Amino acid sequence: MKHIKAVIKPEKLEDVKVALKNVGCYGVMVKEIEGHGQQGGIVQQWRGEKFELDLLPKISIDVVVKDDEVDKIVQAIISNAKTGSDKGEGKIFVYNVESVIRIRTGEEGESAV
Amino acid sequence: MKHIKAVIKPEKLEDVKVALKNVGCYGVMVKEIEGHGQQGGIVQQWRGEKFELDLLPKISIDVVVKDDEVDKIVQAIISNAKTGSDKGEGKIFVYNVESVIRIRTGEEGESAV
Amino acid sequence: MKHIKAVIKPEKLEDVKVALKNVGCYGVMVKEIEGHGQQGGIVQQWRGEKFELDLLPKISIDVVVKDDEVDKIVQAIISNAKTGSDKGEGKIFVYNVESVIRIRTGEEGESAV
Amino acid sequence: MNVEMAIDTLWVLLSAMLVFFMNLGFASVEAGFARSKNAVNILSKNFVVFAVSSLGFLLLGWGLMFGGNHPFVGTQGLFILGGNIDESIYTLTANVPFWAKFIFQLVFCGTAATIVSGAVAERIKYLSFIIFSFVLTLLIYPIVGHWIWGGGFLASLGFQDFAGSTVVHSVGGWAALAGVMVLGPRFGKYDHNGKTKPMPGHNMPMATIGLFVLWLGWFGFNPGSTMSMSNPADVSHIFMTTNTAAIGGILSSTILSWTYLGKPELGMTINGCLAGLVAITAGCAYVDILSSLVIGAIAGILVVFAVLMFDRLQLDDPVGATSVHLVNGVFGTLCVGLFARAGVTSLSPASGLLFGGGFSLLGRELFGILAVAAFVFPSSLLVWYLIKRTIGIRVSLEEEIAGLDLGEHGNSAYPEFLSRKPAYSAIVSDGAESIRIREVSANETY
Amino acid sequence: MNVEMAIDTLWVLLSAMLVFFMNLGFASVEAGFARSKNAVNILSKNFVVFAVSSLGFLLLGWGLMFGGNHPFVGTQGLFILGGNIDESIYTLTANVPFWAKFIFQLVFCGTAATIVSGAVAERIKYLSFIIFSFVLTLLIYPIVGHWIWGGGFLASLGFQDFAGSTVVHSVGGWAALAGVMVLGPRFGKYDHNGKTKPMPGHNMPMATIGLFVLWLGWFGFNPGSTMSMSNPADVSHIFMTTNTAAIGGILSSTILSWTYLGKPELGMTINGCLAGLVAITAGCAYVDILSSLVIGAIAGILVVFAVLMFDRLQLDDPVGATSVHLVNGVFGTLCVGLFARAGVTSLSPASGLLFGGGFSLLGRELFGILAVAAFVFPSSLLVWYLIKRTIGIRVSLEEEIAGLDLGEHGNSAYPEFLSRKPAYSAIVSDGAESIRIREVSANETY
Amino acid sequence: MNVEMAIDTLWVLLSAMLVFFMNLGFASVEAGFARSKNAVNILSKNFVVFAVSSLGFLLLGWGLMFGGNHPFVGTQGLFILGGNIDESIYTLTANVPFWAKFIFQLVFCGTAATIVSGAVAERIKYLSFIIFSFVLTLLIYPIVGHWIWGGGFLASLGFQDFAGSTVVHSVGGWAALAGVMVLGPRFGKYDHNGKTKPMPGHNMPMATIGLFVLWLGWFGFNPGSTMSMSNPADVSHIFMTTNTAAIGGILSSTILSWTYLGKPELGMTINGCLAGLVAITAGCAYVDILSSLVIGAIAGILVVFAVLMFDRLQLDDPVGATSVHLVNGVFGTLCVGLFARAGVTSLSPASGLLFGGGFSLLGRELFGILAVAAFVFPSSLLVWYLIKRTIGIRVSLEEEIAGLDLGEHGNSAYPEFLSRKPAYSAIVSDGAESIRIREVSANETY
Ligand SMILES: Nc1ncnc2c1ncn2[C@@H]1O[C@H](COP(=O)(O)OP(=O)(O)O)[C@@H](O)[C@H]1O
Ligand SMILES: Nc1ncnc2c1ncn2[C@@H]1O[C@H](COP(=O)(O)OP(=O)(O)O)[C@@H](O)[C@H]1O
Ligand SMILES: Nc1ncnc2c1ncn2[C@@H]1O[C@H](COP(=O)(O)OP(=O)(O)O)[C@@H](O)[C@H]1O
């Protein structure tokens, strides 16, 4: 099984969520993170002093899926996470998962995904 | 070494935390996440318009442990995270960890866990 | 490619961030987590009742890098995350990453890191 | 000591303070009902708008409103700042010193301007709002005020609006409606099927604090409009009708929300209370206690349906200001024609339809409502439109998405609190279009 | 102009506004002391309760309280809504118009009902609370009020409670205590070893704002209870005793919290201030300044121990309302018997034990306290119990855990802020039982 | 009924309530401008400080201020608690009962103490602050007050400060400045290149609520300082100059912030409004409306530059209290010498430089400013220094980093909200030093 982590812009969460449902991926974990990559920060000011928040709000959306579903899901994320701007569109990372257990039933492996 | 990530209901955090301590697992990382799996969402309303929050608050609790402790810990989590309801009890994911370093001492490997 | 996760004290975030930039690592993901390891908790009180928050605020800072950069970056983190206290300085965990995809371009692999 | 003047002045200044304090009430309700990313902006608007109104009313507004009894506009003693003031030419004749009269009228003027703030929230340019407010308080409000309270043609006709359901609330309401139409809805508020996306207020405790302050303020707004304590029974009566209408609004909106919308929503009951207060404002000195309960209760029902209706019409008013102030300002003024009872206080000269007065008063009230609408709505539209064509009226889509606090003020309301942005998910859930595509359509609104 | 009536009316209406404003204070303190998941519910309760009280007092309460001087209950002119009012039959004889008297008494009645709100917070059904409040303000409060302020038997006996330590605060307090007992504690508040789990208030700034508003409101509550400005020195004296008792309460509770509990907790000092204010309410017109400092200081100590004691008894009062209002309402009334000094104001006829008056006054105060307790506590218990047996009193355990805001109102107080739910961890930390098991026990409370 | 006394007492007590209510305003502005980890501490300080001031003023302060007309300090009837009060020896001669006078003066005294609270926020020990406040209100404030309002030498010289730009605001400001200097800046505020690290306020809505409350309170502060309604025109005039200066401050600070700092920051416009109010306080009864607009506008500009200047001097004042109260307290007092116009109210005896009065009044004002500075600043320095050398003045670095709420009170302002700590990132961004190293330097401040 694989763990797919996508770091996307917050405003695309809804689209990506819907897309994931459409390709049959029901379990997701969503986290608010702050990140920086190539995109610039946000300038604020306080009593005349300007400062930059170089960490921008991003959403990390994590799904654990069967090995053969990875491509389909990565494609679904890519095509739904684009906003058309040229920076900060995000990235997808894929990890190996050694085992998955469903707490309610205790069942383990692909059927627990 | 293995990384065990358990996604559980927030109200079971305390139980799971205590159980982990009891089986000798002291280091934990806790995050508030939002997830959805098989459990339904929460309906709210605003000015007569109903809407559903399909992402429910969950707790992700992560521990990194020695290889031979995995089973014991997974069991401890399973038996303490159950609430008795039939949905949304959560899941456990196990990953491989290539190395662990303790920042204070710089020591690496199992002794740093 | 490797995923390096460092759990550090919040007050060292800025130092570590700068250090990571200095060694050429631009993409980061930052999360507020709560953790406990060897460090004790914070005592609060409410209407005379004392209680301890045994989970302390920590920062998890995650970077995905090329295989040959791992050592350099781990070193950079270690030397910048120390506060000089004897507990709760944090840990670094290293995971394997199977693939990385840049959403904007769709490019995959090391060049996407 | 001129004892009577001392007492009246004390009462007028106390009432002015209470109405002034409504600025805090409006700021809290509006900011609480909006999203956190726009809170600083809304607070700033409610804050600067009183400064701008004060300036506008001081420069010219007062003169236009009370400068002689020309039927349409004040023409005498227009500019009061700096010069010597000849009190005798002004048509406001309370037994209090000039500046006490001025302050009392000023805080009402400021209220009208504040009403607009909530309706246009979360997408209007700060500067454009400031300019509109200035025009509103310099020109539009004082002219209507003159007609009704300054000895103009509606006053001569016998149109009655004791404390301003029309003068203040529906003037503010019409101006707000025009603004809402010129501005267009917030990005993502209605999807392409016309379905409303809920955008819940970010801080209900703050909104509730605001509600209580507004309610308190109304005890200056209505009873204070006697501008005198010479008849304590009148003042007490007005105090009582005001409070009773408020509770009527709370109870009916609570019951309606519970039965019709499923749950007793706090936001709806807050609006119900305000609706009752707005509706009783015109008639507070003319109706009896039981009538005030009925008026308030109807207002509490009207406001719930009005909120739903405006959303159906895709007129996006984030805080429900038009439902509260416009709809119930109009309704309350009509109620004078229905529920007035001559002699219920010493200030009540005529009876309405339900108390044997026939259609006469009702007709006059209706005429006044239409006259005010016919002036305020188009002239506000014009001003909003001119602003749109010159300096622009709406922030960029990027800024709207990121929040006006960052864009307009460089500030963040709660820089330390981690927040989810539920708005974001609403924004793009209606399918595959990209933000760029919608940006075009957002510019095309209206 | 009837100058004296004008002045007195101005003073009474101003005081009524201040006491009305205490609704905001109670709402803020109570919501701030509770958990965020219940904030909308608490605010809604504090908001609707005033509407319900107004209705109850208008329908029947006023008449029961002031309708003639039967020893136990008002019997004349009971219904005032809609009819003609014959002022001469009422026993409240201030020199102000009828509706001014009514409003002034109404806001006191509303306060008694609001006190209950905080004690039963975080688990009571919204509807059940509304019904109880209606009964309290329609029947229970007016009857006690009649005994003491309406010419009933305690008034005849010479029982003295100037501004309502007993009439308002301990009536509210007894009703609250009965509610707490019938409801049972919040889920997870006490573990099976009887240990208290702290559930800290979620918003201390809001609680502090509320405190200041309450303190301000008390300047209407106590000095306003003269219902006249004919003796300015009396009013000023009462203002001063009120403030001095408040600071006494702050100082003593701060010192006690610091020395005895380890740190000067903000929550405790807020309660200390309120305790001082409640305690001086009965005697504010009867004691001298130094005594008021002493009374306040003792109250600030009492409240700290009362909070600890109620928790030890597993009587779960989330905001400490019983400790503040019941304990100090009783204590304050006793203080009249101890600290009163005849002649300290023109309103003070008798001296207490410490100022040479012997046990007479003290005895009468004690008798009054017991009479009120003997009526209010059992009748409240009965009403609560009837509600429990009919529509139910407590939300389901699921709803309690998820929060009443979602369950009762479909709202969320702060939908954008990310929050941890510290309550959750407290809930199940005492071992291995599952929620289902405890659900049963929660249903079995009382 | 002594009608005149009744009216005056009503007015004085109303004004006292409004000024009392400023405690809420200060608490909200200060807590909103600080970081969330210190909110409980700031609220506690603003809360306890009024208790301490009341005690100090009651024990000795009143006597020192008004006890006879010795040029430098009150010497008669010093202790009023408990004893019999001989009103004839006091120099405050308003036509109201003794305790009304006392309360009115007390709330002013409390205000001076509250000003200090904001400037020393986020690092001072709770106990040390309490002790300083006690000394300030027991000794320092009353002595200056005696000079100017109690019949002392500045009063004899004809120094004019109608409502306290000097007596209250600059006294509080000097004491605050001394505290800031003895304390040193917050950890991490200035890096080793002297660059200021922004530490944005954590809750702007709360700060804005506070602002409106302060503005309201000022309508008691200034008009109330007549202590009489015998001349209603004077009171109304003062009300108007007060409001006009406030809006002048808002408008000019908004424009300046927009053009000079890039955006119209809410924090700056809040300070601009307060600056206008502080600046008009001395001259509110002496200048005409146009002058009040000009004074307010200049104050709004001054405060922006003052904030930047104090940061450049590394005098770390988290809420800008010195910029608002000290700088504009001094400026406002000078304005009396510039803008006063004899006869503009019945209280205005002399004209200033710009209205043909020559340099005489200006000279006297300048002298008074210097005299007050020469006494308050060094004596405050001394008290702060003594506190530092005995019980210590500053919390430990660990506590400062974790927040004073935990360290001083064991509380957390918002225990359920997840927060980032933006302060942390600012703290250590300037390079490689560890916290330990800086800890030393933090201990070495001043
Ligand atoms: N190498 C990396 N390691 C960890 N996180 C990364 C990495 N690269 C990107 N990210 C995360 O992804 C987000 C988007 O990356 P960014 O470089 O801005 O996208 P793009 O490459 O499309 O411009 C960043 O804010 C950061 O949180
Ligand atoms: N395949 C998955 N990938 C990622 N997260 C998952 C997955 N399945 C479940 N989860 C997470 O676990 C939580 C609980 O899962 P759920 O399916 O509701 O449990 P159960 O199977 O016991 O009903 C979800 O809210 C989600 O966050
Ligand atoms: N084995 C582990 N698994 C998961 N998280 C851990 C583990 N060990 C430490 N941590 C995380 O790292 C943080 C710091 O660890 P700690 O043991 O306090 O550091 P140190 O070893 O330097 O004293 C903890 O708060 C916890 O979140």
Side-chain angles (χ1 to χ4, degrees), chain F residues 273-285:
Chain F
C273 179
L274 294 177
L277 288 163
V278 169
I280 200 62
T281 296
C284 57

PDB file of all heavy atoms in Angstrom, chain F residues 273-285:
ATOM      1  N   CYS F 273      -7.107  58.124  17.273  1.00  0.00           N
ATOM      2  CA  CYS F 273      -8.321  58.573  17.946  1.00  0.00           C
ATOM      3  C   CYS F 273      -8.042  58.883  19.415  1.00  0.00           C
ATOM      4  O   CYS F 273      -8.431  59.934  19.930  1.00  0.00           O
ATOM      5  CB  CYS F 273      -9.391  57.487  17.824  1.00  0.00           C
ATOM      6  SG  CYS F 273     -10.938  57.882  18.632  1.00  0.00           S
ATOM      7  N   LEU F 274      -7.346  57.985  20.067  1.00  0.00           N
ATOM      8  CA  LEU F 274      -7.032  58.211  21.485  1.00  0.00           C
ATOM      9  C   LEU F 274      -6.156  59.449  21.656  1.00  0.00           C
ATOM     10  O   LEU F 274      -6.330  60.219  22.607  1.00  0.00           O
ATOM     11  CB  LEU F 274      -6.333  56.979  22.076  1.00  0.00           C
ATOM     12  CG  LEU F 274      -7.201  55.723  22.140  1.00  0.00           C
ATOM     13  CD1 LEU F 274      -6.388  54.548  22.677  1.00  0.00           C
ATOM     14  CD2 LEU F 274      -8.425  55.950  23.025  1.00  0.00           C
ATOM     15  N   ALA F 275      -5.240  59.643  20.732  1.00  0.00           N
ATOM     16  CA  ALA F 275      -4.362  60.811  20.812  1.00  0.00           C
ATOM     17  C   ALA F 275      -5.180  62.094  20.743  1.00  0.00           C
ATOM     18  O   ALA F 275      -4.956  63.041  21.527  1.00  0.00           O
ATOM     19  CB  ALA F 275      -3.339  60.763  19.683  1.00  0.00           C
ATOM     20  N   GLY F 276      -6.135  62.139  19.824  1.00  0.00           N
ATOM     21  CA  GLY F 276      -6.996  63.324  19.727  1.00  0.00           C
ATOM     22  C   GLY F 276      -7.748  63.563  21.024  1.00  0.00           C
ATOM     23  O   GLY F 276      -7.873  64.709  21.489  1.00  0.00           O
ATOM     24  N   LEU F 277      -8.234  62.484  21.620  1.00  0.00           N
ATOM     25  CA  LEU F 277      -8.988  62.617  22.863  1.00  0.00           C
ATOM     26  C   LEU F 277      -8.109  63.095  24.009  1.00  0.00           C
ATOM     27  O   LEU F 277      -8.507  63.957  24.804  1.00  0.00           O
ATOM     28  CB  LEU F 277      -9.641  61.271  23.212  1.00  0.00           C
ATOM     29  CG  LEU F 277     -10.818  60.896  22.311  1.00  0.00           C
ATOM     30  CD1 LEU F 277     -11.153  59.408  22.421  1.00  0.00           C
ATOM     31  CD2 LEU F 277     -12.045  61.727  22.664  1.00  0.00           C
ATOM     32  N   VAL F 278      -6.899  62.538  24.103  1.00  0.00           N
ATOM     33  CA  VAL F 278      -5.989  62.986  25.162  1.00  0.00           C
ATOM     34  C   VAL F 278      -5.646  64.463  24.967  1.00  0.00           C
ATOM     35  O   VAL F 278      -5.648  65.250  25.920  1.00  0.00           O
ATOM     36  CB  VAL F 278      -4.705  62.130  25.175  1.00  0.00           C
ATOM     37  CG1 VAL F 278      -3.653  62.756  26.081  1.00  0.00           C
ATOM     38  CG2 VAL F 278      -5.014  60.706  25.611  1.00  0.00           C
ATOM     39  N   ALA F 279      -5.388  64.834  23.721  1.00  0.00           N
ATOM     40  CA  ALA F 279      -4.914  66.197  23.471  1.00  0.00           C
ATOM     41  C   ALA F 279      -5.981  67.239  23.765  1.00  0.00           C
ATOM     42  O   ALA F 279      -5.681  68.358  24.170  1.00  0.00           O
ATOM     43  CB  ALA F 279      -4.431  66.323  22.025  1.00  0.00           C
ATOM     44  N   ILE F 280      -7.252  66.913  23.564  1.00  0.00           N
ATOM     45  CA  ILE F 280      -8.303  67.906  23.801  1.00  0.00           C
ATOM     46  C   ILE F 280      -8.685  67.976  25.268  1.00  0.00           C
ATOM     47  O   ILE F 280      -9.396  68.911  25.678  1.00  0.00           O
ATOM     48  CB  ILE F 280      -9.548  67.579  22.943  1.00  0.00           C
ATOM     49  CG1 ILE F 280     -10.439  68.828  22.797  1.00  0.00           C
ATOM     50  CG2 ILE F 280     -10.372  66.446  23.536  1.00  0.00           C
ATOM     51  CD1 ILE F 280      -9.784  69.972  22.100  1.00  0.00           C
ATOM     52  N   THR F 281      -8.211  67.038  26.050  1.00  0.00           N
ATOM     53  CA  THR F 281      -8.665  66.948  27.431  1.00  0.00           C
ATOM     54  C   THR F 281      -8.365  68.223  28.235  1.00  0.00           C
ATOM     55  O   THR F 281      -9.214  68.710  28.983  1.00  0.00           O
ATOM     56  CB  THR F 281      -8.062  65.705  28.097  1.00  0.00           C
ATOM     57  OG1 THR F 281      -8.572  64.567  27.403  1.00  0.00           O
ATOM     58  CG2 THR F 281      -8.436  65.593  29.555  1.00  0.00           C
ATOM     59  N   ALA F 282      -7.190  68.780  28.038  1.00  0.00           N
ATOM     60  CA  ALA F 282      -6.855  69.990  28.784  1.00  0.00           C
ATOM     61  C   ALA F 282      -7.697  71.174  28.329  1.00  0.00           C
ATOM     62  O   ALA F 282      -8.172  71.972  29.132  1.00  0.00           O
ATOM     63  CB  ALA F 282      -5.371  70.326  28.613  1.00  0.00           C
ATOM     64  N   GLY F 283      -7.899  71.287  27.022  1.00  0.00           N
ATOM     65  CA  GLY F 283      -8.490  72.501  26.493  1.00  0.00           C
ATOM     66  C   GLY F 283      -9.952  72.408  26.102  1.00  0.00           C
ATOM     67  O   GLY F 283     -10.512  73.363  25.573  1.00  0.00           O
ATOM     68  N   CYS F 284     -10.586  71.283  26.393  1.00  0.00           N
ATOM     69  CA  CYS F 284     -11.937  71.060  25.867  1.00  0.00           C
ATOM     70  C   CYS F 284     -12.919  72.165  26.214  1.00  0.00           C
ATOM     71  O   CYS F 284     -13.853  72.423  25.455  1.00  0.00           O
ATOM     72  CB  CYS F 284     -12.457  69.701  26.321  1.00  0.00           C
ATOM     73  SG  CYS F 284     -12.465  69.498  28.105  1.00  0.00           S
ATOM     74  N   ALA F 285     -12.695  72.846  27.328  1.00  0.00           N
ATOM     75  CA  ALA F 285     -13.627  73.901  27.723  1.00  0.00           C
ATOM     76  C   ALA F 285     -13.137  75.272  27.279  1.00  0.00           C
ATOM     77  O   ALA F 285     -13.809  76.279  27.500  1.00  0.00           O
ATOM     78  CB  ALA F 285     -13.812  73.902  29.244  1.00  0.00           C
TER      79      ALA F 285
END
